[in-house]
Amino acid sequence: MTFAEANDIFHMPLMELLYRAHTVHKENFDVNKMQLCTLLSIQTGGCPEDCAYCAQSKRNKQRAPMERITEVEKIVAEAQEAREMGCTRFCLGASGRRPSPEVMDIACEAIARIKQLGLKACCCLGTLSEEEVLRLKSAGLDYYNHNIDTSPQHYKNIITTRTIDERMETIRLLQKHGIKVCTGGILGIGESNNDRISMLLFLKTLDSDPNLITINRLVKIPGTPLENAPDIEPFDFVRFVALASIMMPHSYVKLCAGRETMSEELQALCFFAGANSMFIGKKLLTVDNANFNDDMHLLQKLGIKG
Ligand code: SF4
């Protein structure tokens, strides 16, 4: 798909866009089912990277020092709780450019235990070498989350300590070795609609579409360069969800951070446009997530099953 084609779809009359996205979505998924996932941070804070949106970044003067969960039993207990809440996937996240040997050890041990609980295991540990990809694969890893955050053009305004090409390199390594990839970005970080469309087109340059497209809505963290970023127009957010569903019809589309500030009606529009995966649980790394009971009530009202 060319930029002009994607741009035309993005700017279609909203009702037609929603109809088209929902039709594509219905052809590929059960529209009344939602994939539920929980994220646990096993290493938080003290990151040397400079992602402008992140509470853990070196650009945040108020960032907390690094903390790590070292007891695998604690991770297993959290995974068990997530399973009881209805999750089918459990994700381990760690701050930093790439996983330290300690984080790799903990993650690999935890992945095996998470799998024993009947959950799919997912990690988000930063840039990986091929050796690390293979190690995670033999530990049983199902999915890896590695966001590209924004368009290639806007990337340098948000992060200067690494490049978007490095991110794509890790994604390619994961795909080469058969690990399913979750990737996407954040809306509301000063990007234009053109950047949003370019980000999806850039993901289309991969050999195969990611298994899941992650869509975050900026959570404005005091002390970060984006603390006063203008809000994204809600209908542009829905348009982006719809375009992602149309461009990558076999990929799950996940609403990640920022969902707790979205109205029920806006979330329902996103679900109609093709969003069919979400995080549940109290925290998403350092930011609060939507309330679990509210989420369950919303899904029940909409007739959607977890
Ligand atoms: Fe570090 Fe990840 Fe935050 Fe970037 S997003 S500053 S890599 S923890």
Side-chain angles (χ1 to χ4, degrees):
M1 186 179 285
T2 64
F3 181 86
E5 287 165 343
N7 193 44
D8 284 349
I9 296 172
F10 185 90
H11 288 101
M12 278 168 85
L14 186 64
M15 298 307 132
E16 280 176 42
L17 174 61
L18 288 174
Y19 177 75
R20 179 160 167 186
H22 189 74
T23 305
V24 169
H25 181 50
K26 203 171 162 69
E27 279 165 12
N28 294 287
F29 289 97
D30 179 341
V31 296
N32 296 315
K33 275 203 178 148
M34 181 69 59
Q35 183 189 65
L36 302 177
C37 180
T38 294
L39 174 61
L40 175 70
S41 178
I42 58 170
Q43 178 172 282
T44 312
C47 185
E49 298 288 289
D50 72 351
C51 311
Y53 51 81
C54 180
Q56 309 177 75
S57 147
K58 69 177 182 185
R59 288 207 224 180
N60 180 6
K61 300 288 172 271
Q62 301 162 24
R63 73 175 172 166
M66 187 187 285
E67 272 178 36
R68 196 179 283 155
I69 297 179
T70 48
E71 310 85 27
V72 171
E73 291 311 323
K74 207 169 163 181
I75 300 172
V76 174
E78 295 273 352
Q80 252 159 349
E81 200 184 315
R83 190 181 61 175
E84 278 152 31
M85 290 196 301
C87 286
T88 52
R89 288 173 59 168
F90 192 73
C91 183
L92 304 175
S95 61
R97 184 191 191 88
R98 54 185 327 132
S100 64
E102 294 78 14
V103 164
M104 279 297 289
D105 289 346
I106 298 163
C108 288
E109 200 182 331
I111 288 165
R113 300 286 304 278
I114 291 165
K115 300 292 299 271
Q116 282 167 8
L117 295 173
L119 292 166
K120 297 283 182 201
C122 178
C123 281
C124 176
L125 310 174
T127 301
L128 297 177
S129 65
E130 189 152 20
E131 197 187 339
E132 286 163 337
V133 170
L134 290 169
R135 194 169 160 211
L136 289 166
K137 186 181 163 80
S138 42
L141 187 71
D142 299 291
Y143 298 86
Y144 197 83
N145 174 248
H146 201 59
N147 289 341
I148 61 165
D149 293 331
T150 188
S151 68
Q153 300 79 8
H154 190 51
Y155 197 85
K156 59 185 176 311
N157 303 324
I158 300 300
I159 301 154
T160 65
T161 46
R162 58 171 188 263
T163 65
I164 198 167
D165 291 329
E166 279 175 62
R167 303 294 280 180
M168 292 291 268
E169 230 169 84
T170 294
I171 293 173
R172 287 200 176 90
L173 279 177
L174 289 157
Q175 289 191 327
K176 175 179 165 191
H177 292 291
I179 294 178
K180 295 189 177 89
V181 169
C182 313
T183 182
I186 309 173
L187 304 196
I189 55 176
E191 79 289 353
S192 62
N193 279 334
N194 284 359
D195 286 311
R196 293 167 189 154
I197 296 165
S198 293
M199 179 175 86
L200 293 177
L201 285 167
F202 197 54
L203 290 177
K204 287 296 288 181
T205 63
L206 292 165
D207 287 342
S208 57
D209 288 344
N211 182 262
L212 184 149
I213 310 299
T214 49
I215 305 181
N216 295 274
R217 193 168 179 246
L218 178 69
V219 178
K220 297 174 198 173
I221 312 277
T224 62
L226 293 169
E227 63 179 332
N228 296 314
D231 286 338
I232 174 173
E233 156 64 45
F235 290 125
D236 283 346
F237 190 88
V238 176
R239 284 179 182 279
F240 182 81
V241 172
L243 182 62
S245 308
I246 292 166
M247 285 175 68
M248 289 173 256
H250 304 290
S251 307
Y252 282 83
V253 174
K254 185 174 200 164
L255 298 185
C256 303
R259 197 170 52 79
E260 78 290 352
T261 58
M262 291 167 59
S263 69
E264 289 192 338
E265 294 81 359
L266 180 56
Q267 291 185 60
L269 266 185
C270 290
F271 300 155
F272 187 78
N276 59 352
S277 178
M278 63 188 206
F279 278 117
I280 55 169
K282 290 168 275 199
K283 277 269 183 198
L284 290 180
L285 299 178
T286 58
V287 297
D288 289 338
N289 193 21
N291 176 284
F292 173 71
N293 291 331
D294 291 349
D295 282 343
M296 292 304 111
H297 193 214
L298 173 60
L299 293 184
Q300 196 184 20
K301 282 195 279 186
L302 299 176
I304 296 176
K305 291 194 169 59

